[in-house]
Each structure stands twice: as structure tokens, then as C-alpha cells.
Amino acid sequence: MNLRLTGLAKRYGAVTAVDRVTLELVAGTTLALLGPSGCGKSTLLRLVAGLEAPDAGGVAIGDQDLTRTPTARRGFGMVFQDFALFPHLDVGANAAFGLVEARVPAATRAARVRELLALVGLAGLERRKVTELSGGQQQRVALARALAPEPRLLLLDEPLSNLDASLRESLKLELRSILTGLPAGAIYVTHDQGEAFTVADTVALMRAGRIVQVGTSEELLAKPAGPWAARFLGHDNVYDTAPQGAHLPVSDGALLLRADLTRLGEPGTGATDVSVATAAREGLAWRLTLTAEAWGVTVTWRGFDRELPGHPAPGASFGLQVPPEAWRSIGSDA
Amino acid sequence: MRPSPTPRLAGAIATLFLAAFLAVPLAVILARSLAPSAGEPFGAGFLAALTDPYYLGRLGFTLGQALLSTALTVVVGLPTALLLARYRFRGKRVLTAAFTVPFVMPTVVAGIGFLALVGPRGVLGVDLRNTLAIVLLAHVFYNFAVVARTVSGFLEGVAPRLEAAAATLGATPWRVVARVTLPLALPATFASALLVFLFCFTSFGVVLILAPAPAFATLEVEIYRLTARLLALDAAAALALVQLILMVAVGFIYTRLQERLAVSVVPGDATRAPRGSAHLLLGGTLLVTSALVLAPLLALSVQSFGSPGSPWPTARNYLGLLTQSHTVGFTDLWHALRNSLGFAFSSAALALVVGFLFAYAIARGGWRWLDQASLLPLATSPITLAFGYLLAYPALVGSVWGVPLAHALLAFPFVTRTLLPAYRAQPPALAAAASTLGAGQLRVLLRVELPLLRPAFLTAAAFAFAVSMGEFGATLLLVRPEFATLPVAIFDRLGRPGASNYGEALALGVVLMALTAAVMLVLQRRGRSEF
């Protein structure tokens, strides 16, 4: 059954944290709530969990309204940013916490805990103190604990943000495979596009309490809804007005230049000539800042040596070849 | 860390001070209570005192009332702590500060406050003087904040998030309290209960003022009587030793517990606004506790402006303080004020120096034992300390230096505990940066570390000042009549019959209360210490 949020709103004094959010999550899929810090995504998650009461709007699963249902009765599992493991309980007792509340018999409980700890790669650590675990291990216990009572929805609040970068990379893929195996849906809150695109089927982009755009990662990257979304998703070449003299077929609101669709050739071979302002190595690839004097803009361009007509020394001149589909009109921010 | 000359020197001076003004007096008490006298075997006097049914009774009473007081304090303090940790509401900061007021009030003010409330001339018309009830009430009043603040401070950073986690796992509110909140609160509750037990076990001023009958004498009161009234120094030494052993044992458990608590606290505030019936629970509990906390102080303030037979407020008690300085043996307001402030300034200055030496040696020298040693004065009762001075340095007692030295010794642990966290919070890179710029260790201290410690020093100074100004037991034993402080002047007046003496004691109590409150305002606006 799908989770439906309708017109959810929450204010703290003068600040509107969540502004009339309407959203649907298809059962069995993962939705990422992606946005910069302070955009209200964690508050939205707490509203879904029932940890905060909304000022307006509702939360429902199928046709069952849950807006007034206390957290304990919603049957949603949650993984917290700081893991929130119970320091007075060991790993096994943490994982079994929800099973005790669900009055699962002790024998079944132990089997289920064993099964889940194995799933998250912590088999045999039942008696370990949670304070003796590494950050990554704590994260795994938090996940096992949330999954143990078989929640009908799993909520994850920046679950990887307290871990170091290399651990984040590997856990990201692991989380993806665990979440795809779940019958329940999941909402995954993050500020990291990479995490959102890796883990989720659908991404909801959030800004200042509102949902800006919802779609798959391909849809979001190909058609960002406005200059803010384009920049936040990692596009470098976003122009609020059309560059002068570029003779563009489209022109209304902001423009996005997909540099990955352009080529560099000898001077005079392209739509305009550009000169190298800065050239930086990013591993095997180059990251060039190019000045398009005729257009009065700079273009950021990434590529390998074989895609360059010559060495990109500062001051070097190239022709920028731009196919029509590289330009995209993306409207303006709401 | 490699100890270098400057911290070594600081550590050496600090240790020397502790040895001279704590270890030697205590050693003399030990020697006096165990040493064979007049052909008796070693330890005979100590054993005789221990087996004396009267002294055993005193020990039993002291333990019993301390346990009862502690249990009551936990019963009153814990619900408040749980509510404070869970909810945010308007006026919470003010209320939390108000709860701390009794704890920082001098024992004499607490004592006279309860006399004004439920004493022979009390505003409620019920005379509870010389009952166990009034002692227990005063102890709950005095220590309630220790439980409420320690436990709520500990839970605030942890509980709301873990409670939220428990709720997402299907636990209903009462199940959350039973399975998460209470288990989490247990160690902090136990630690604060130990501290409360220590305070009640060595209760002196409150007992001496509210229940002066011999049946209610605690060990501390008994040691005072034996020393000051009966001059039975051998028996006093034996009792002091018994008390010291118990205190050190309890203090040891407490510090162990503190270390364990310090590990698991996560900073951050995740409290929430109360909803629905929680309003009622919160409001009701806070109303009861506020009444308990404020009633004695309110009664004291109101009664100090009263006079027998007149329904209107007058300033007669205060005027009497200014004019009646000719009464034999009484210190008038100005002299008491001058003495109190003089002692407070000199002992705060001394405590700052000693406390800093300890903090510096601990932080930069890395000596753990010194950290433990700096807590020892807290496990020594003021009467025992003063008694030790009487035995070890009789000359000191006649001079003006006895009181400031004792006060500085009692106050410097607070200074060290306030400076240490501030010191530890300084990034080590700052000192390193200064030394790469050519500053030697002493110059680093002067130009980088000390300036950064300035706010902590102010807090520490206020702490030390308040400790000295409110200190009663050691002052009573050590001070010469002409140097009587405010607490001693209040006690002197309470010991004489007559409505005007009582009225003046009330007025002096209000002055002392106001002074302490002023110092506490400085503290409240600054950071916290490690307690």
C-alpha cells in the first residue's frame, strides 16, 4: 500500500519548516528526500514518523489515516542520524527492542535477531556493548533494530552522515541492496546527491520546506526544474539569462549548457572560440574553466586528454562545438 | 604528554599546600584517635569510642537520617528531573535557576528560613523545631536541585532522541519510561543520591539550628560539641576518623561513577513542548516543587519585615542591626559584613591561586592522581578540617589566617573543577602555535592560556566567594569573636532568647541571602563547572 502525504505543514515560530508537502511513495520502492541542510527534510521525516505533530495536512497508508496515530502504533521503523542506540542495552537487546514491544516470544525473537545481525554483517555480536562498536557497526545495529519488527515503512534520517567518506561509499551500495530486498517502502533523507541517486528509485528535491521536483535520477539530471535545482544537482554551467550572441533556438528563463555533450576542437571550428582560464587535474580527467569572450560567460568543461585538441595551458584557445541538444531551457525558480 | 618544569613546579606547590593544610591536620586527627595514651594499647581510645553505646547511637542516627533524607530527595527530585529533561516550556531557564537557589544558599539561611516557616515563631503556626521532620524537610529543600539538575542535565542530551527511537519501535509512552528513560536515569540518579547522602551525612548548620536537642545530633554536630563545649578531644578525634572513613569511601564510589557518566553523554537539546495531559503533569509537579523550594526563603523575607504585635511591615529588625552594636558578644551588621567580605575576598584569592595551580598541573602535566587529590577537600567535612587545624596548628586558630586558609581549602576544588574543562577545551594547537612563534612555556601561559581562561576564572571566583561567605562549621570553630562572619552572627542571635534577637537574625539572614544571590547571578550568567 502506498504512503500518501497530503498538504503536510509544520511551523516553528516564524519559521516554516515544512510547507504544504504532498507526496506519494509507491510500496516497495525507496524515495530519497534530497535537499540542503535546513530545508525541512528531517522535519518532514519526523512528521511521517509521528515524532512531530503537523500544523496541517495528513499522513496515510492506503486508505488508513495515520495523522493522529501515535508513533508507537504506526509501525514505521526509523534509523536516526546519530543512530540513537540504547547505551544501557547490548547489541542483541537493542536489535530485539521492537520485538519485545510487539510481544514476540523469546525464542522467535532470538532467531530473528540472529537473522538480522547476519543480514547487516554483524553475526555473533549479540552480547557486545554498543559503546564498544565502531561508527559503521553502530549504523548496522541501528538498521537491524529498525528492520526487526518488520515495519511497513522504513525511515532513514541521514544514516551515513556520521561516518567517514570511504565507509559511506561502501555502505551506500550495501544499503541499496538491503532496501531493494524489502517488501516495505523506505524514505531516505540526505543532503548528498550521490547518496540519493545510488540508494533511491525516486528522488524528491526539497528546498525551503517545499518539494521542488520529484523524479528518477535520470529525469532530475536531464531536466532540472530551474536554476537552483540544476546547480544543486551538480550542473556547472547554468545561466540565468541567455548568453548574448549565442544564437540560441530556445530562450525563456534560465539556460543550462550540458558541457558533457560539447566537444573541443581547433579554434574557429565551433560555435564560439574559448580560451583556457584555469586547468586543473582531477585524477586522469581535466577540469577546465573556459572563457567564451564573444558570449561574455565562462564554461566549466570536464574531459580526458584524448578529447582535447592540444595541451590545455592557460591562455590556449579552442573552438567549442555545441550541438543544439546541449542547450536546455530550464525555466526559473518558483 | 611530557611533563616539563613549569607544570612540575605548579604541581609541587599545589601538593605542598594540600599536604600542609589537609593531610597534616587529618594525620594529626588519625594519630590522636589511634595513639596509645597512658599505658593503653594502640587504638584503644578509638575502639572505646566505637563501642560506646552513645556514640554508636549518634552514628546510627546520622546514617539513618542521611539515608531517609536521600530517599526523600530522590522521590521529590526524580520526577522533576524527568519532566525537565523531556519538555521545553516558557520560563524553564528561570525555574531551573530557581531550583538551584537553595543549594547555593548558606546552610544558615536554609536553617533560619525553615525556622521562619515552621519554627516556634513560624508563619505557618506549626512548630516543628526539634523534630526529625524539620531536618528531613530542610535536607530535601537543600539537596533537591542536586538530583533534579544532575539527572535532567544527563538525560537532556540523551533521552529525547532515544525515547523517539523507542517510539518508532512500538513502545507506548509508559513503556518508554520503563524501558528507556528510567534505566538511562539510573546511574545519574545513583550518583546524585551518593552526593546528597554525603551532604546529609555531614549536615551541621541545618541540624544545629533546627534540631539542637541532643537526640538529633549528627556526628558532625557531636564533634563540634565535644571540641568546642566539652573539650573532649580524644572522643572527637575518634568520631572524626569514623566519619572521614565513611566519606572517603562514598566519595570514591561517586568519582568512579562520575567517570562512567561522563562517557555516555551526548550534547544537544532535543526537548519538546508538552502536549495534552502532559501539561497537567508538568504544571502540577513543578508547582509542588517550586512551593517547597521557595516557601522557606519567602517566609524568611516576609518575616524579617515583621514585628510582634504589628500587622504592618516595618524595618525595625534591620534598624536594630545598625544601632544595637553595644550588646555584649554580638557583632553588628557592619562588622559582620566587613568580616564576611574580608574573609571571602582573601580566601577566594587564595583558592584561585591554589585551584589554578592544580588545574594547570593536571591539564599540562597529565597527572591523574593529582586530579583525584584535588577532590579530597570535598570528602572532608568543615568541622573535621577545623578540628584538625585546632590540633595541628593551635597558633593559626588565634590569628586571622585560620578562617581564610580553611575556606580556601574547601573552595579550591570548585575552582579547579571550573578551570579544568575550560583548560581542556583549549585547542592544543594554540599553545603549539605560540611556541613556534618563540614563546616559552611561561610566556604561552601568560599570553595565550590565561587570557582564554578569563571567563572561567570569573565563574571560579564567584564560586569560591560564595563558598566562603556561606561557610559556617569551620568558621564557628576557628573564628575569634571579634571576627564573627554573617553566618556566625546569625547563629549567635538565634542562641539568645527574645523576639528582637530572633528578628535581627532574620534580617541578617536576608542580607546573607541577598549577597549570595548577587554572587550567584554572576555564576548563572557564565558557564557551568564540571559538577
Side-chain angles (χ1 to χ4, degrees):
Chain A
M1 273 181 294
N2 294 0
L3 171 80
R4 281 186 295 106
L5 312 179
T6 41
L8 270 187
K10 180 73 182 175
R11 295 169 65 88
Y12 295 108
V15 183
T16 304
V18 172
D19 192 1
R20 288 161 291 165
V21 166
T22 298
L23 204 59
E24 181 151 0
L25 170 69
V26 179
T29 67
T30 301
L31 170 88
L33 273 179
L34 174 65
S37 63
C39 74
K41 53 192 192 303
S42 287
T43 306
L44 182 55
L45 200 69
R46 293 177 68 85
L47 288 173
V48 174
L51 294 170
E52 303 277 349
D55 298 330
V59 178
I61 273 210
D63 48 12
Q64 185 190 0
D65 180 31
L66 295 176
T67 315
R68 303 242 160 263
T69 308
T71 305
R73 302 249 174 276
R74 289 194 185 195
F76 296 173
M78 185 154 171
V79 176
F80 293 80
Q81 186 169 4
D82 56 4
F83 316 135
L85 298 181
F86 303 119
H88 59 293
L89 302 176
D90 62 20
V91 169
N94 261 282
F97 194 96
L99 299 173
V100 173
E101 291 308 319
R103 300 202 173 73
V104 173
T108 327
R109 220 154 63 203
R112 176 90 179 126
V113 166
R114 232 184 349 265
E115 177 193 332
L116 273 158
L117 289 183
L119 174 73
V120 298
L122 292 179
L125 294 189
E126 276 94 341
R127 297 278 80 83
R128 194 71 74 81
K129 277 184 167 182
V130 292
T131 45
E132 290 167 355
L133 300 179
S134 70
Q137 288 174 319
Q138 292 190 21
Q139 207 279 335
R140 288 156 192 267
V141 176
L143 184 64
R145 183 180 71 177
L147 289 175
E150 297 180 13
R152 44 184 177 170
L153 176 69
L154 185 65
L155 309 171
L156 302 104
D157 188 7
E158 306 242 9
L160 302 182
S161 65
N162 275 351
L163 305 174
D164 61 49
S166 60
L167 196 58
R168 217 155 43 215
E169 286 305 311
S170 57
L171 270 177
K172 195 155 85 176
L173 292 166
E174 211 174 304
L175 263 178
R176 163 85 209 165
S177 72
I178 289 176
L179 292 182
T180 12
L182 284 183
I187 301 183
Y188 188 105
V189 162
T190 179
H191 63 269
D192 182 293
Q193 319 93 333
E195 240 174 86
F197 293 153
T198 307
V199 173
D201 304 298
T202 318
V203 176
L205 193 57
M206 206 172 162
R207 182 195 187 193
R210 296 184 175 208
I211 303 288
V212 173
Q213 192 176 8
V214 184
T216 63
S217 50
E218 285 75 21
E219 286 166 356
L220 255 65
L221 283 171
K223 290 182 202 159
W228 178 86
R231 291 192 182 102
F232 186 77
L233 292 170
H235 287 292
D236 299 309
N237 304 310
V238 180
Y239 308 105
D240 291 325
T241 55
Q244 47 192 316
H247 308 298
L248 294 170
V250 284
S251 68
D252 198 34
L255 283 164
L256 166 67
L257 174 61
R258 292 272 303 269
D260 55 316
L261 301 178
T262 66
R263 288 162 174 280
L264 291 182
E266 297 298 333
T269 62
T272 183
D273 277 357
V274 292
S275 62
V276 177
T278 66
R281 274 279 182 203
E282 285 179 349
L284 287 172
W286 282 103
R287 181 182 194 275
L288 306 181
T289 318
L290 307 168
T291 311
E293 206 133 329
W295 294 355
V297 297
T298 57
V299 175
T300 302
W301 191 93
R302 287 185 170 82
F304 297 99
D305 281 297
R306 62 176 159 76
E307 300 172 77
L308 292 169
H311 184 72
S317 198
F318 298 124
L320 182 67
Q321 301 165 1
V322 186
E325 68 272 19
W327 283 108
R328 196 172 282 283
S329 170
I330 52 175
S332 45
D333 288 327
Chain B
M1 198 184 296
R2 175 176 47 92
S4 39
T6 335
R8 260 175 212 275
L9 185 67
I13 300 174
T15 312
L16 218 64
F17 179 83
L18 203 61
F21 296 108
L22 184 69
V24 168
L26 295 186
V28 173
I29 292 178
L30 187 71
R32 179 97 189 202
S33 54
L34 293 179
S37 55
E40 286 174 6
F42 176 81
F46 180 65
L47 281 178
L50 262 191
T51 46
D52 183 312
Y54 176 72
Y55 293 138
L56 272 182
R58 294 284 46 90
L59 177 61
F61 172 77
T62 311
L63 281 171
Q65 65 81 23
L67 282 172
L68 258 178
S69 304
T70 308
L72 270 176
T73 309
V74 169
V75 166
V76 177
L78 196 56
T80 313
L82 297 187
L83 292 170
L84 283 179
R86 176 172 292 198
Y87 296 117
R88 57 169 169 259
F89 49 90
R90 267 174 45 169
K92 182 175 172 180
R93 273 174 58 95
V94 177
L95 199 67
T96 323
F99 284 162
T100 323
V101 167
F103 182 64
V104 298
M105 277 302 149
T107 48
V108 175
V109 171
I112 197 170
F114 271 92
L115 278 188
L117 191 69
V118 287
R121 302 170 208 265
V123 288
L124 290 190
V126 197
D127 183 11
L128 293 180
R129 206 165 85 113
N130 276 326
T131 61
L132 183 61
I134 201 171
V135 173
L136 297 182
L137 266 177
H139 283 167
V140 173
F141 161 86
Y142 210 69
N143 295 308
F144 154 80
V146 177
V147 176
R149 285 198 73 159
T150 312
V151 178
S152 75
F154 173 75
L155 281 182
E156 220 165 33
V158 194
R161 277 177 286 193
L162 295 178
E163 287 167 354
T168 66
L169 294 166
T172 55
W174 287 112
R175 295 280 296 164
V176 171
V177 170
R179 291 193 67 197
V180 178
T181 319
L182 283 179
L184 280 175
L186 199 64
T189 309
F190 189 59
S192 57
L194 279 180
L195 209 56
V196 172
F197 177 83
L198 269 185
F199 292 143
C200 297
F201 184 69
T202 56
S203 186
F204 177 70
V206 163
V207 178
L208 200 60
I209 290 172
L210 294 177
F216 298 104
T218 55
L219 282 183
E220 190 83 341
V221 170
E222 195 61 39
I223 297 167
Y224 165 72
R225 282 212 180 109
L226 290 171
T227 312
R229 308 256 169 90
L230 308 172
L231 296 176
L233 300 188
D234 289 324
L239 290 190
L241 186 59
V242 171
Q243 178 171 284
L244 199 63
I245 291 167
L246 274 163
M247 287 186 75
V248 168
V250 177
F252 180 76
I253 303 173
Y254 173 75
T255 49
R256 273 296 137 93
L257 218 57
Q258 274 290 85
E259 280 166 20
R260 280 191 34 206
L261 286 179
V263 184
S264 42
V265 175
V266 188
D269 184 18
T271 51
R272 59 177 188 269
R275 283 189 229 159
S277 58
H279 276 292
L280 218 62
L281 190 66
L282 184 70
T285 309
L286 295 184
L287 203 71
V288 171
T289 40
S290 315
L292 173 77
V293 162
L294 296 178
L297 300 179
L298 213 64
L300 168 62
S301 312
V302 169
Q303 229 186 12
S304 76
F305 288 102
S307 73
S310 158
W312 307 109
T314 71
R316 228 176 69 177
N317 294 326
Y318 293 89
L319 293 173
L321 280 178
L322 304 178
T323 51
Q324 264 202 341
S325 54
H326 57 270
T327 315
V328 183
F330 276 11
T331 317
D332 65 275
L333 177 64
W334 297 122
H335 282 89
L337 253 180
R338 185 203 64 189
N339 296 339
S340 269
L341 292 177
F343 285 141
F345 273 113
S346 50
S347 49
L350 193 55
L352 282 183
V353 172
V354 176
F356 170 73
L357 288 176
F358 267 101
Y360 181 65
I362 293 166
R364 290 292 172 257
W367 292 296
R368 266 185 67 80
W369 64 268
L370 209 59
D371 197 0
Q372 303 282 339
S374 75
L375 289 168
L376 282 177
L378 294 180
T380 320
S381 73
I383 292 290
T384 307
L385 188 72
F387 177 53
Y389 283 15
L390 281 174
L391 294 181
Y393 308 114
L396 202 61
V397 177
S399 80
V400 287
W401 286 106
V403 172
L405 276 170
H407 285 185
L409 194 99
L410 291 169
F412 91 78
F414 294 94
V415 174
T416 306
R417 295 296 115 183
T418 308
L419 294 181
L420 252 183
Y423 224 132
R424 287 182 172 140
Q426 287 186 12
L430 291 183
S435 50
T436 63
L437 294 167
Q441 201 151 24
L442 202 62
R443 298 290 298 166
V444 171
L445 180 65
L446 285 178
R447 292 190 60 201
V448 179
E449 295 177 334
L450 279 182
L452 285 173
L453 282 180
R454 222 161 59 184
F457 260 110
L458 190 65
T459 310
F463 242 129
F465 200 85
V467 167
S468 167
M469 219 158 49
E471 207 289 322
F472 177 51
T475 319
L476 196 60
L477 263 184
L478 290 176
V479 82
R480 289 199 311 211
E482 64 267 38
F483 291 128
T485 59
L486 284 167
V488 174
I490 293 170
F491 181 67
D492 283 346
R493 280 173 173 77
L494 284 178
R496 309 283 178 99
S500 71
N501 285 333
Y502 175 68
E504 283 180 33
L506 290 171
L508 277 175
V510 171
V511 171
L512 183 56
M513 179 169 78
L515 269 175
T516 314
V519 176
M520 286 320 293
L521 275 181
V522 177
L523 270 181
Q524 190 60 39
R525 289 176 46 186
R526 298 278 162 179
R528 297 182 181 181
S529 79
E530 242 180 39
F531 280 90

